[in-house]
Each structure stands twice: as C-alpha cells, then as structure tokens.
C-alpha cells in the first residue's frame, strides 16, 4: 500500500497480491529464492525399498501442474536438488530419477517391472505425511490424485504443523513433505547437507559410498577450483536423483516490487543486490 502511495521505493510482496502486482508492475522483482519444497522418501521403509517403485512415484507426478494449482505465479517446478540461481544448478541432471513420465503407459510399465503381474505382490500404498494446513493439504491431495490416476494407491496423513518437523525424523514417516533453504548459494549447501551419509540433516536416510567419495573429493584440495568442485558435487547430485531419494516439487520465488524511479536493481537468489549499481531517477 505504501509503495502504491509513493511513500517508499521497494518492498516485499505477499503471495496473495503477487498476481495483481505482476499485472500492474511486471515481474522484474520476482526472482528465484533459495527455498525448495519436496517430499522425501523414508528409505528405511520397506514400501520404498525398490528404486523402481520410487522412480514410478516421481514419474507419476506432474510438478508443473501442481505448482500452477497450489502456488500460482510465485513458484516454479524444481529441476533437481540444486535450485535455479545457485552456483552448480544444472537442470540436465534431473534424469530418470526425477523426470515426470510422458504418459500413464510409461508409469504402468515401470510399475509392472517392479511388481510383475501374477507375482502376487501388489503396488504398496503411499502415505503422504504433511502439515494440516490448507496449502499443504492441497499439495498432498494433488500428489495423491496423480498417483491414484496411474494405479498407485495413496492416502493423506496430516499432522499439526508444529509437529511435522519432529515426525519427519521419527522413523515413522513415509513420504513426508520437507523443505530446505541452503545456508549459502552453492550446490554443496543442498547436496552435502542433505545426502551425505550420517549428516544430521539427512532426513531420508540416504547413503551411497560413491556420493560420499565425490563429496570428499569436492572438500579436498582437488576441489579448490570452483569449477571442479561444482563438477564433483554435480556428479553426486546426479547419483542422488537417479536413486529417487526425493520427489522434487517446487522452488519458491522471492517476491518484491519497486517504484518507477528505481534503476538497475537486480536481486540475486539470496535477495541481495549490488548497492553500487542501484540509483534513483529524479
């Protein structure tokens, strides 16, 4: 309101007004942020032991459609572990472990491989753990509906919002809604923190010696060169994605707007900017 009244030059924008601001002022102030949302598999749960089943679940979910429905205009579909705008981001790494299927037949074939007809093994039910708030319920319902549409039974298991974080590390979680904001804008803050064996933030229980070796190399003198470090961490990211340890969903935007007299304000993924470049027209 103060921006519209001309009494300030820059402000954050609440998601509820993102559409109106974009229409009136454009989207120049809307930039990718460090915040990611995804579902993490409890890899100790026997229901998710088969990587082919996890890949089928990921392939069944149309992230673009979910983002448009749940966060219209202020989020984008995730393309891996590392968000857009962060050093090391490469959407090409989102391969078989996180690529949505082209049609239902593709998912059906994946399920048939994991649970062959006549084998007596039914497709397990997927339990979606989420916070009991409207936005997350809508998210979980959209995922459950998409799974059901391809023959994967799913049900929602809501939790009080204040209890979800503790439940997510209880060992009783199934496919649980998680989120992450990197402590600094680098791929290590997303890959190493969440997927190194034994990391306190490794909620899924993921463990792969090959990933650990790549992360060790990135942290060694061999990783002193930024490009080489990003390459090593990128290879580790590819392995995690191939293992379908998570169901990527969304990267949120930082929403802001400026007055007409602001010039050369370019926000980065942290929400910061080059103060020496910014100026105000008379």
């Amino acid at each position: 309101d103060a921006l519209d009244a001309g009494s300030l030059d820059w402000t954050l924008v609440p998601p509820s007004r993102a559409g109106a601001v974009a229409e009136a002022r454009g989207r120049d102030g809307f930039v990718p942020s460090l915040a990611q949302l995804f579902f993490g598999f409890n890899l100790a749960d026997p229901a998710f032991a088969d990587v082919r089943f996890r890949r089928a679940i990921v392939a069944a979910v149309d992230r673009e459609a979910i983002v448009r429905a749940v966060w219209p205009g202020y989020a984008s579909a995730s393309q891996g572990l590392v968000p857009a705008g962060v050093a090391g981001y490469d959407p090409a790494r989102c391969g078989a472990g996180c690529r949505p299927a082209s049609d239902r037949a593709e998912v059906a074939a994946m399920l048939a491989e994991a649970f062959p007809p006549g084998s007596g093994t039914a497709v397990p039910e997927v339990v979606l753990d989420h916070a009991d708030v409207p936005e997350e319920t809508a998210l979980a319902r959209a995922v459950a509906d998409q799974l059901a549409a391809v023959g994967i039974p799913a049900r929602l298991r809501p939790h009080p919002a204040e209890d979800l974080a503790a439940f997510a590390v209880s060992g009783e979680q199934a496919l649980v809604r998680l989120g992450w904001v990197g402590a600094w804008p680098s791929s290590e803050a997303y890959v190493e923190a969440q997927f190194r064996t034994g990391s306190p933030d490794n909620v899924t229980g993921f463990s792969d010696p090959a990933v650990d070796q790549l992360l060790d190399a990135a942290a060694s003198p061999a990783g002193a060169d930024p490009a080489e470090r990003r390459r090593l961490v990128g290879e580790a990211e590819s392995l995690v994605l191939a293992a379908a340890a998570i169901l990527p969903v969304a990267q949120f935007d930082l929403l802001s707007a400026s007055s007409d007299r602001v010039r050369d304000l370019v926000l980065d993924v942290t929400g910061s900017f080059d103060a020496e470049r910014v100026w105000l027209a008379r």
Side-chain angles (χ1 to χ4, degrees), residues 9-32:
D9 289 301
W10 182 92
T11 182
L12 292 172
V13 175
S16 61
R17 296 179 67 169
V21 169
E23 183 175 350
R25 298 178 178 274
R27 299 179 59 87
D28 289 348
F30 296 8
V31 298

Side-chain angles (χ1 to χ4, degrees), residues 94-204:
C94 197
C98 71
R99 178 182 59 81
S102 57
D103 54 42
R104 293 184 181 182
E106 184 178 349
V107 180
M110 298 170 75
L111 292 172
E113 182 180 353
F115 310 103
S119 66
T121 304
V123 177
E125 180 184 59
V126 174
V127 177
L128 294 161
D129 292 302
H130 64 94
D132 190 13
V133 297
E135 184 179 274
E136 292 204 14
T137 299
L139 165 65
R141 173 54 58 198
V143 173
D145 288 347
Q146 291 186 359
L147 294 179
V150 296
I152 301 174
R155 65 180 171 90
L156 277 56
R157 184 163 62 183
H159 303 268
E162 64 273 17
D163 296 340
L164 183 64
F167 183 80
V169 296
S170 68
E172 300 299 318
Q173 76 276 18
L175 184 55
V176 60
R177 194 280 296 154
L178 301 170
W180 190 253
V181 178
W184 71 101
S186 177
S187 54
E188 295 102 307
Y190 290 85
V191 181
E192 175 154 9
Q194 298 182 93
F195 300 102
R196 179 186 280 279
T197 300
S199 168
D201 295 310
N202 186 341
V203 177
T204 63

Side-chain angles (χ1 to χ4, degrees), residues 35-88:
Q36 294 257 60
L37 182 144
F38 54 93
F39 282 88
F41 291 96
N42 177 0
L43 297 177
D45 187 335
F48 303 127
D50 193 326
V51 66
R52 296 172 298 181
F53 183 42
R54 300 197 303 272
R55 287 175 178 166
I57 292 170
V58 175
V61 176
D62 183 344
R63 300 192 294 274
E64 298 280 357
I66 288 176
V67 167
R68 287 194 301 269
V70 181
W71 306 287
Y74 57 98
S76 56
S78 292
Q79 301 300 324
L81 308 179
V82 180
V86 169

